[in-house]
Amino acid sequence: MITTQGISSSLSPQRELPIGLFDSGVGGMTVLRAMREQLPNESFLYLGDTARMPYGTKGVETVRKYCLEAAAKLVERGIKLLVVACNTATAAALPQLQAACPGMDVVGVVEPGAEAACRATRSGYIAVIATSGTIRGRAYEEAILRRMPDARISAKACPLFVSMAEDGLLEGPLAEALAARYLDPIFRNPREQGLEVPDTLVLACTHFPLLRNAIARAAGEGVTIVDSASNTAREVRALLQKKHLARGSGPNVGMPLCPGSVRFLTTDDVPRFTRMGELFLGIPIAPCTVELVEL
Ligand code: DGL
């Protein structure tokens, strides 16, 4: 069990603590990016388990173990709320993480992504693309069907998108060809046969928003593309307000605000983490804000 007792009794009031996020690597920075936009007064502690990435190809028990270790590291450092900024991790381990962090809100990306999809669809036919682990666990399907029991869902694992995004191959013939290979069976082929296609496509992997243009072209006209990042940030903002934990929202007992500050922990290769992280976060990362840790 990860005990969070030290958090509320630590020197700084709980409200001043950072929001903790973890992902298998740098992909969760697409979630961090949305959180920085929507929660400009908050500070963040982001852990990327790059030494053991990818999670998406691993078995559920292995991913669960990694997640519990990542969460323990963040809790040990002091955080006020934990965001599981990885679809595979959320699908494999959200209830286990919630049970391991009593007294702390643990927010995953699957429910906010499913919510965004259900709000966007008009026809009730939704496509979900993700890593093999997320698709195998059916977490998105279950979350969508809970909200919309008559939804029709086409789910597909697109594991190579992860490597494409990491290699910075976001546009061009390779990205287009791979997107077509994965998505033609869901969109182009049925369309050519006069069949209905999904009107909403969920990017249920942290890496896929980087390939949004290539994916959108392969999906074709009239398909709304959604991801979890901004919905997750909205959910976190609402939770912090409800729990009176939002920075700058109440008497901050004299603590200076350091808005938007982010610190990073990585389990491997600081220079690569920094380089890749900038691609996903969209802003420079100062090397002095990145620390190598062991889980
Ligand atoms: N972050 C993972 C996800 O959102 C993708 C990368 C991985 O497989 O570790 O599913």
Side-chain angles (χ1 to χ4, degrees):
M1 178 183 288
I2 302 164
T3 165
T4 56
Q5 277 162 4
I7 290 176
S8 47
S9 61
S10 68
L11 276 182
S12 54
Q14 202 179 357
R15 183 191 289 129
E16 301 308 318
L17 290 171
I19 295 169
L21 302 93
F22 80 86
D23 175 48
S24 56
V26 292
M29 290 201 201
T30 52
V31 181
L32 176 59
R33 192 174 181 159
M35 304 240 328
R36 287 184 74 247
E37 279 163 21
Q38 293 196 39
L39 297 155
N41 285 332
E42 299 297 338
S43 58
F44 301 92
L45 180 62
Y46 178 99
L47 188 154
D49 189 11
T50 40
R52 305 190 290 196
M53 195 252 164
Y55 284 5
T57 53
K58 303 211 163 62
V60 67
E61 290 303 331
T62 304
V63 174
R64 252 175 220 160
K65 175 177 172 290
Y66 291 172
C67 290
L68 290 168
E69 289 169 359
K73 177 61 76 181
L74 288 169
V75 169
E76 173 194 307
R77 292 294 175 103
I79 54 170
K80 62 181 173 186
L81 181 145
L82 177 64
V83 178
V84 186
C86 172
N87 293 269
T88 308
T90 303
L94 187 65
Q96 288 75 14
L97 287 164
Q98 287 167 333
C101 300
M104 181 183 291
D105 284 303
V106 181
V107 177
V109 287
V110 170
E111 295 292 333
E115 178 67 32
C118 292
R119 257 190 281 121
T121 187
R122 296 166 305 284
S123 66
Y125 189 10
I126 298 168
V128 179
I129 55 172
T131 63
S132 309
T134 303
I135 296 297
R136 198 179 48 230
R138 299 172 61 91
Y140 267 91
E141 283 171 81
E142 285 167 13
I144 290 169
L145 289 171
R146 226 179 295 121
R147 290 170 171 79
M148 201 181 249
D150 55 354
R152 290 156 298 146
I153 301 161
S154 186
K156 187 166 178 73
C158 303
L160 288 177
F161 278 156
V162 172
S163 333
M164 292 284 278
E166 297 246 320
D167 277 342
L169 288 168
L170 311 180
E171 304 269 0
L174 270 180
E176 302 285 333
L178 188 62
R181 169 86 189 250
Y182 280 142
L183 297 178
D184 280 358
I186 305 177
F187 294 100
R188 190 190 176 106
N189 301 350
R191 218 181 253 126
E192 282 177 358
Q193 293 164 37
L195 300 172
E196 186 190 1
V197 300
D199 72 348
T200 302
L201 171 61
V202 191
L203 307 184
C205 172
T206 51
H207 285 59
F208 297 180
L210 272 78
L211 292 154
R212 185 182 280 262
N213 291 344
I215 290 170
R217 272 192 288 276
E221 299 252 311
V223 178
T224 305
I225 297 186
V226 299
D227 65 63
S228 328
S230 57
N231 238 21
T232 304
R234 248 193 306 276
E235 185 177 326
V236 169
R237 194 176 55 195
L239 254 178
L240 290 179
Q241 275 160 4
K242 188 169 144 206
K243 303 267 170 91
H244 306 290
L245 283 175
R247 278 184 115 203
S249 66
N252 275 349
V253 286
M255 300 295 290
L257 271 184
C258 179
S261 78
V262 191
R263 297 199 66 81
F264 301 92
L265 308 175
T266 180
T267 52
D268 187 40
D269 196 343
V270 171
R272 181 174 152 80
F273 176 85
T274 309
R275 208 172 48 248
M276 299 294 306
E278 290 178 349
L279 180 70
F280 283 74
L281 191 56
I283 54 163
I285 294 176
C288 63
T289 60
V290 186
E291 185 189 337
L292 186 65
V293 292
E294 239 178 74
L295 297 183

